[in-house]
Amino acid sequence: MSAFQLDVAPDGLAVVTFDLPGEKVNKFSREVFVELSEWLVRLSQDPRVRALLVVSGKPDVFIAGADIKEFTEVRPEDASAGSARGQALFEQLARLPFPTIAAINGVCLGGGTEFALACDWRLMSDAPAARIGLPEVRLGIFPAWGGCARLPRLVGLANALDLILTGKQIDARRAKKVGLVDEAVPAPIFDEYARRFARSKIGTGKRTPRPARLSAAERALEATPIGRRIILNKARETVIGQTGGHYPAPLEALKVIEETYGKPIEAALEVESRRIANVFGGEVQRNLLDIFFATEQVKKETGVADPNVRARDVSRLGVLGAGLMGGGIAQLAADRGLPARMKDIEPKALAQGYRAAAKIWKDAVARRRLNSREMATRMARLSGTLDYSGFAQCEVTVEAVVEKLEVKRSVLAEWEQVVPPTAIFGSNTSTIPIAQIAAAAGRPENVAGMHFFNPVHRMPLVEVIRGEKSSEETIATIFALAKRLGKTPVVVRDLPGFLVNRILAPYLSEAVRLVREGSRIEDVDRTMKDFGMPVGPLELLDDVGLDTAVKAGEVLQAAFPHRIKSGGDEALVAAGRLGRKTGSGFYEYEGGKRGRPSRTAYEILRAQPAASPRYPPEVIESRLVLPMVNEAAFCLEDAVVPGPGKLDLAMILGTGFPPFRGGLLRWADSLGLPRVRSLLEELTERFGSRFEPARSIRRLADARGTFYGSPAQPVDTEAAS
Ligand code: COA
């Protein structure tokens, strides 16, 4: 069956409908390319055709770009040829002898955008689902089917760099503003309008290229070599600032644009296809691709093995506790169209939940991501109560009360009194085992963990904690709910700290130890940011709250006393320095902004920061990253998650572990497990037995294996015993 349908009207308007059979989205596979090329030849020779309108047969998608699944089959040495093939095809489109119009009804990404750029005109629907962009850098490559060559000519240097180097996706209004599309058309009249527009172009000939529509200031800057240099240097600085220079693709794209801006298109395309070989097939590209596939895989999963288990429908969400997390969870639900009912014990607390939610929407309104009418609609999905009224109608309730076992148990008991027997309870516990929370529950099968990360609206991970008695239906329902809320769920075993917090604990406590031993706070944080973490460990402690970290650390210390010491620092907590929320922790804060490392913190810790670095960065890095690898190995031994892929995905989405490294265990594999083991042994000798390598690391190192090559077999550990 063909991917394209052609319809030529008597007046000469040819409408080609792209509708890839059997697929949810249109994409450019090798096969589609062959077919498209044949169509373009046929169209160019068809005497009836006087204008071409390209539409999509998929409701919310125009074209989702290259078929990413084929990327793994392309050998790096063939990358330039693959790029040249795509460029030639889109050149064929650009050279059709009549006006061509792309009717972008929905998502238009990557190769889809490059296709549209080769058309004379672009119309875009203002439907909420419609977005356009060039997300290639997020997959470790850059647009190389003519995107880097064409976009700057159309929208100017600065706008093109902004889109290509960040991979951001924009809506019709913004696309029109930067000149990427010619019109943003109201969704209800889009099809009709596109046809009328295309008809109006019949007989008008090809569109003559026009200079980018820029403000006077932008034009002045882009008109001179010095101005262009300023824009390019600024873009490079921004990329390095945001990525630490760890991602080759945006830097390579920058070089392509720098070398080709203002040159004839043929020359620009040549540079583009030559330079793509510098990134395609590289380690970073392969790592980013693996993460993309791992995230896609979760979309297909249900969280349980049995395909017959169905998630229950959820029409309302209950949220117990309207604090930072509860308010955030309710906001997320309401934002995604799910009415959310919050309960707290006093009006002041409820008000805080509303305020937390409103603030997130207000910020979105300020950034013009949302209008005030939409904000009002979303706010209206929130309701609050001081008792359990309305909770009987909530198929799922997320508990986000304080991290105290007795409190969690008592709200669970109260909740069970008022809800029907089918209602599900998801605890947002960060460390307390579900088995303990559900120990006295009447229906423990309906209880599981639903652990969000702070801030809820930003962090993409949800740990779904399978309690010993949680039913399959409960897990499937929470898993499906997490996906509906736009999160990536990972099912974890019910052991202390679950996955992410357990792996973070030795890292955070080691960071505090380094400070006690005389390292400077900023050196510790800088080392980990250079490694690629979004924030340093001491900054993270301040953001999470030292009291929270201490509490979590206590649970973990009790479970794994040999390796893990309490996460934050009791002395700072005792002094009331809880981090950002109290205005001081390891750093001082002013107006919520992080300032300098705190002198007082050093005093309280009885630490004397050395004038010159106490340890070189490689020692700091080893002392911080290797305990995480070690703890991750213990987690695999304990079967907290089924394998290294899920563990890495969780660490990337839950902590921002640098995606370019592919994940914690991917990183360890790339270092080589014999090396990981010998480094851990050196650390053990020098700094103590907490670094002793996990049995599985020793075994894999002996066998010259890798985490990914040969998954660790579960063995008994202190947690299991
Ligand atoms: N290549 C290969 N497969 C793709 C694809 C692409 N570019 N875009 C989407 N798909 C597949 C998905 O893997 C999924 O496959 P499945 O049905 O086998 O699971 C299917 O299309 C539907 O995608 P899904 O993500 O479930 O649908 P959605 O409506 O939630 O989102 C998109 C649609 C297009 C927004 C989303 O899939 C997306 O962002 N894709 C990546 C696009 C991209 O990065 N393109 C640039 C390539 S350089």
Side-chain angles (χ1 to χ4, degrees), residues 335-358:
D335 199 61
R336 297 267 160 167
L338 189 62
R341 187 143 178 89
M342 292 182 281
K343 178 202 171 299
D344 212 306
I345 42 180
E346 49 177 322
K348 221 170 86 190
L350 269 183
Q352 194 199 325
Y354 275 108
R355 258 201 309 278

Side-chain angles (χ1 to χ4, degrees), residues 222-559:
E222 300 205 357
T224 65
I226 296 177
R228 291 197 289 274
R229 170 82 9 243
I230 293 172
I231 295 174
L232 288 160
N233 286 350
K234 176 110 193 342
R236 179 169 289 105
E237 256 171 50
T238 310
V239 170
I240 304 238
Q242 286 171 351
T243 66
H246 291 302
Y247 294 80
L251 294 171
E252 202 64 29
L254 198 63
K255 284 188 199 147
V256 172
I257 295 168
E258 190 169 8
E259 282 174 34
T260 62
Y261 189 56
K263 295 236 172 84
I265 184 88
E266 295 76 13
L269 293 174
E270 193 278 322
V271 175
E272 192 183 89
S273 67
R274 183 160 40 80
R275 283 203 171 271
I276 193 69
N278 295 344
V279 293
F280 203 98
E283 193 178 350
V284 173
Q285 190 253 331
R286 278 183 283 123
N287 284 340
L288 295 177
L289 204 56
D290 281 343
I291 296 164
F292 174 83
F293 289 135
T295 315
E296 284 289 298
Q297 176 58 31
V298 175
K299 289 189 186 171
K300 295 196 176 80
E301 292 171 355
T302 59
V304 296
D306 182 350
N308 298 318
V309 174
R310 292 265 165 271
R312 290 199 201 133
D313 287 338
V314 181
S315 62
R316 295 172 163 275
L317 184 73
V319 179
L320 297 173
L324 193 65
M325 294 304 281
I329 294 163
Q331 185 277 337
L332 180 68
D335 199 61
R336 297 267 160 167
L338 189 62
R341 187 143 178 89
M342 292 182 281
K343 178 202 171 299
D344 212 306
I345 42 180
E346 49 177 322
K348 221 170 86 190
L350 269 183
Q352 194 199 325
Y354 275 108
R355 258 201 309 278
K359 175 159 188 332
I360 298 168
W361 282 312
K362 273 189 197 148
D363 288 348
V365 171
R367 280 185 289 118
R368 295 168 161 247
R369 296 277 151 83
L370 199 69
N371 63 39
S372 13
R373 195 167 38 83
E374 289 161 340
M375 173 170 167
T377 312
R378 287 165 209 217
M379 276 299 275
R381 295 194 191 111
L382 287 182
S383 63
T385 171
L386 298 176
D387 53 31
Y388 284 89
S389 66
F391 271 72
Q393 283 78 49
C394 299
E395 296 88 348
V396 175
T397 287
V398 178
E399 167 275 304
V401 302
V402 289
E403 195 71 356
K404 282 197 181 136
L405 179 59
E406 327 76 77
V407 184
K408 288 190 187 291
R409 273 191 183 160
S410 83
V411 297
L412 170 55
E414 286 168 15
W415 171 86
E416 278 194 326
Q417 300 301 312
V418 296
V419 297
T422 51
I424 287 174
F425 187 91
S427 172
N428 182 50
T429 166
S430 51
T431 38
I432 304 176
I434 299 303
Q436 291 180 22
I437 296 171
R443 297 182 292 274
E445 66 278 14
N446 290 354
V447 182
M450 187 171 195
H451 180 212
F452 290 85
F453 290 75
N454 184 22
V456 176
H457 66 293
R458 287 254 170 77
M459 299 300 287
L461 180 70
V462 167
E463 287 181 335
V464 178
I465 305 145
R466 183 192 285 278
E468 202 187 328
K469 297 191 176 154
S470 314
S471 73
E472 295 294 275
E473 208 181 358
T474 297
I475 297 300
T477 304
I478 292 187
F479 196 89
L481 175 63
K483 285 203 277 187
R484 180 167 167 197
L485 298 180
K487 302 297 179 192
T488 300
V490 171
V491 179
V492 299
R493 236 185 111 189
D494 188 20
L495 291 178
F498 316 117
L499 184 73
V500 170
N501 283 345
R502 172 167 164 191
I503 295 175
L504 276 181
Y507 165 72
L508 297 175
S509 62
E510 196 64 23
V512 180
R513 234 182 242 260
L514 280 163
V515 176
R516 281 188 188 281
E517 289 174 23
S519 293
R520 286 182 303 207
I521 292 170
E522 63 272 36
D523 290 344
V524 174
D525 281 340
R526 169 61 33 220
T527 304
M528 287 320 297
K529 285 193 280 191
D530 288 345
F531 179 81
M533 296 300 277
V535 292
L538 301 162
E539 291 173 332
L540 181 62
L541 278 168
D542 271 3
D543 292 346
V544 168
L546 293 173
D547 50 340
T548 308
V550 165
K551 250 186 264 164
E554 281 164 3
V555 174
L556 284 157
Q557 189 176 344

